[in-house]
Amino acid sequence: MPNLPVAAEIGSGPNPDEPLSIIVAAVLILLIAMGTLIFNIWFERKQVARVQDRLGPNRVGPWGIFQTIADVLKLLTKEIIIPSQIDRLTYWLAPVLAVGAVIMIWAVVPLSPVAIGSDLNVGALYFISISSLGAVGVLAAGWGSNNKYALLGGLRVIAQMVSYEVPLMLSLLVPVMLAGSLSMQDIVDAQGAMWYFILAPVACLIFTTAGQAEVARAPFDLIEGESEIVAGHHIEYSGLAFAMFYLAEWLHSFTLSALCVTLFFGGWQGPFAVEVPALGLLWFFLKTYAGYFILNWLRYTVPRVRIDHMMSFNWKFLTPIALVVLVMTATLEKLWPALFPVDPGRPGFIQSLPRAGILFLANLVLVGVVIMILRQVARRERQRVEDLVDEGQYSAPAPMPEPVEV
Amino acid sequence: MLEQWVFILVFGIVALGTPVAAIIVGRVIGPRRPNPTQQSTYECGMQTVGDAQKQYKIQYYIFTLLFLAFDVEVVLLLPWALAYNQLPLFALFEGAFLIFILAVGLVYVWRKGALEWR
């Protein structure tokens, strides 16, 4: 195990005494976010094409890699249509808020041991508050457009984003508790010996699921369910104004993966990341792209859920589990030092094993209990339906016809 | 610690300035041929009837109220989780009690049927 750094050695953002370094850093992080975005859109379109058994973009440049740039150029030449009935302030505020909020999250994402926009001591709280701004942007779009589809889409945002923020924040409290810090750089630093995915797998799953809903992508993309409300909140936007919503969604999805990696998969931690900060950047992006790949895979595999199912999934499933995980982690955090007294200071891999083992086992037990409860509920529900069929309340669906032999 | 926020301020301006700049560029470069049909509210080709900014379902409001209760709870729990490993054992019971009260609230709302989407 290499010598782990103490927190003070880790970079905490650009030097505030030099105004130029702040501006350079700000533009650099913006360029990183935008640069990855251009690549991500191509990456995701290629991936979804493979999932759906087609080729995807393959005309502009090798493997269609310049497709996104061509799309941006096309959108540039399109007219931004402004409907006459709009509420001007909210209509124009919406795309700005939607994009600005997502970009601003990148200020606290630690890219490498020495590269972070600003290592705020309230980084996690900052992330929560900024990501809520995105919901305001989408709602403003729904209200400002003065269109019925747009308003319905905007209202679903309130229901969905606001609800899923509860388990998101509750599961975020678990790594905060484990690291004893709200600073993103400290949370990553504390994962030097053991990733928090091992210590809190359930919290990680809740965070990812709730995050996917927060991003409003499939299977939780019903705010823009095409078959019901056409395009949802961004229906009245065109040209680059529409592109802003598109950009916000794509970037938010990638940001979710980056945050997941930061909070649960050790961020920039990896072999020699501390000695060579550039390697930290590599590890960070490798992990983030792996997470992004899995999230996209989920997105194109799972069908869209119904709104009542989505709400009960949040309030009757994710939120109670998040509460239980929080109490469980708190209890075990007080329990394990009593069972395995360790010397204070920075633990290595071996010293962190008892804590990780206890928490991991507890999480496994919790998953088992949840699955048992779910089986009970499902069995009861099936019984109820079967009883209704027996009473002749409604008929069971007709069996599928036998396939015809050719 | 306050200097840290200087970067947030600068980055916030850059982040919010990007979409503003993009939309302005789009307005300048893109064509502009407004006519009444094009500017009318989109509704699958139908004539729009009435205004869209009117009353909507109360359900959305109930969920927002619920969110508010839980949001305040998380704000209360944040310092607790932050300083947890420096607190005595008693903090565990305090935190668990707060979460218990909220769980009771959640069960109450559940039983009342406010979580059913109608």
Side-chain angles (χ1 to χ4, degrees):
Chain A
M1 213 55 209
N3 281 336
L4 289 156
V6 287
E9 283 175 13
I10 285 182
S12 56
N15 183 4
D17 295 333
E18 293 175 37
L20 196 65
S21 81
I22 291 183
I23 294 169
V24 168
V27 173
L28 211 64
I29 292 179
L30 182 79
L31 286 181
I32 288 176
M34 289 300 170
T36 51
L37 180 77
I38 297 276
F39 176 71
N40 287 347
I41 293 177
W42 172 81
F43 178 81
E44 178 164 350
R45 286 179 66 178
K46 270 306 212 197
Q47 192 195 339
V48 58
R50 290 299 164 180
V51 171
Q52 295 171 348
D53 198 14
R54 43 188 187 89
L55 287 172
N58 63 350
R59 283 283 177 268
V60 195
W63 306 290
I65 197 153
F66 299 128
Q67 183 65 50
T68 317
I69 295 163
D71 286 348
V72 170
L73 288 178
K74 186 201 74 179
L75 279 166
L76 261 175
T77 62
K78 292 286 173 188
E79 180 175 2
I80 297 181
I81 299 169
I82 307 165
S84 46
Q85 302 291 317
I86 55 162
D87 183 35
R88 282 190 183 277
L89 179 67
T90 41
Y91 182 85
W92 288 117
L93 201 62
V96 175
L97 269 183
V99 175
V102 183
I103 297 178
M104 276 181 81
I105 296 177
W106 281 85
V108 293
V109 176
L111 301 171
S112 97
V114 291
I116 180 171
S118 183
D119 187 22
L120 295 181
N121 55 356
V122 288
L125 188 63
Y126 171 86
F127 150 63
I128 293 175
S129 41
I130 291 294
S131 68
S132 318
L133 268 183
V136 177
V138 180
L139 176 68
W143 182 258
S145 299
N146 201 354
N147 178 313
K148 282 152 199 150
Y149 296 122
L151 183 69
L152 278 175
L155 285 175
R156 286 185 184 188
V157 171
I158 292 289
Q160 175 178 342
M161 289 195 177
V162 140
S163 295
Y164 276 85
E165 203 149 299
V166 172
L168 186 85
M169 290 187 296
L170 285 172
S171 56
L172 182 76
L173 285 181
V174 174
V176 166
M177 182 189 285
L178 293 173
S181 175
L182 280 170
S183 142
M184 293 299 211
Q185 199 66 285
D186 283 355
I187 291 177
V188 173
D189 188 34
Q191 295 176 72
M194 189 73 80
W195 290 356
Y196 283 163
F197 177 71
I198 310 288
L199 274 69
V202 176
C204 175
L205 288 178
I206 294 174
F207 185 85
T208 320
T209 316
Q212 188 82 344
E214 194 84 338
V215 175
R217 306 202 94 178
F220 303 107
D221 64 340
L222 59 173
I223 58 162
E224 43 180 294
E226 301 91 340
S227 49
E228 303 155 25
I229 48 173
V230 194
H233 56 277
H234 56 59
I235 188 167
E236 290 289 6
Y237 291 86
S238 62
L240 271 187
F242 160 74
M244 289 302 111
F245 286 104
Y246 189 77
L247 186 154
E249 188 197 325
W250 248 256
L251 190 58
H252 204 166
S253 174
F254 189 65
T255 310
L256 167 70
S257 171
L259 283 166
C260 219
V261 164
T262 304
L263 292 170
F264 293 99
F265 292 93
W268 45 258
Q269 296 278 8
F272 306 110
V274 176
E275 289 82 359
V276 190
L279 262 181
L281 199 68
L282 176 72
W283 297 132
F284 174 78
F285 275 108
L286 269 181
K287 290 178 193 175
T288 306
Y289 271 103
Y292 189 57
F293 181 83
I294 292 171
L295 286 179
N296 287 340
W297 187 2
L298 265 177
R299 178 180 181 212
Y300 292 112
T301 310
V302 188
R304 182 181 294 147
V305 293
R306 230 165 62 189
I307 189 158
D308 58 333
H309 288 176
M310 189 190 66
M311 297 315 270
S312 25
F313 179 67
N314 177 67
W315 289 106
K316 299 178 182 174
F317 185 77
L318 283 185
T319 306
I321 294 181
L323 289 174
V324 170
V325 165
L326 193 59
V327 176
M328 188 184 77
T329 313
T331 314
L332 293 174
E333 275 291 277
K334 286 288 177 227
L335 196 69
W336 76 266
L339 294 176
F340 299 92
V342 285
D343 50 349
R346 296 188 57 78
F349 178 72
I350 302 293
Q351 289 95 313
S352 62
L353 273 181
R355 183 197 195 193
I358 289 178
L359 280 168
F360 187 71
L361 279 181
N363 273 283
L364 276 191
V365 170
L366 179 68
V367 169
V369 170
V370 167
I371 288 176
M372 266 164 59
I373 293 174
L374 276 182
R375 282 183 64 181
Q376 285 290 327
V377 171
R379 196 169 292 155
R380 210 180 303 145
E381 182 67 18
R382 203 156 48 229
Q383 191 61 49
R384 197 179 64 83
V385 174
E386 277 171 8
D387 288 349
L388 282 177
V389 173
D390 287 345
E391 290 165 20
Q393 292 271 2
Y394 56 64
S395 53
M400 291 284 284
E402 289 288 317
V404 182
E405 294 287 332
V406 182
Chain B
M1 227 40 213
L2 205 62
E3 310 90 67
Q4 298 278 351
W5 291 94
V6 176
F7 177 81
I8 299 291
L9 180 72
V10 173
F11 192 63
I13 293 169
V14 172
L16 292 173
T18 309
V20 172
I23 290 173
I24 289 174
V25 167
R27 287 278 279 160
V28 170
I29 292 182
R32 214 182 302 179
R33 290 183 288 271
N35 68 61
T37 318
Q38 181 208 50
Q39 287 179 318
S40 64
T41 304
Y42 171 77
E43 210 171 293
C44 299
M46 297 284 194
Q47 272 300 338
T48 309
V49 178
D51 207 43
Q53 297 172 345
K54 44 172 71 173
Q55 288 181 323
Y56 44 84
K57 222 163 126 167
I58 187 84
Q59 196 88 38
Y60 294 110
Y61 183 69
I62 292 175
F63 277 108
T64 318
L65 272 184
L66 251 180
F67 160 72
L68 212 59
F70 275 87
D71 205 25
V72 173
E73 179 218 3
V74 172
V75 170
L76 287 174
L77 282 174
L78 257 175
W80 172 74
L82 179 61
Y84 188 72
N85 40 23
Q86 294 151 35
L87 293 175
L89 187 65
F90 186 60
L92 169 62
F93 300 112
E94 285 179 323
F97 189 63
L98 179 63
I99 293 173
F100 174 72
I101 293 174
L102 261 129
V104 170
L106 184 64
V107 170
Y108 174 76
V109 174
W110 192 335
R111 288 272 144 188
K112 273 278 176 187
L115 296 183
E116 310 301 326
W117 189 269
R118 282 184 292 266

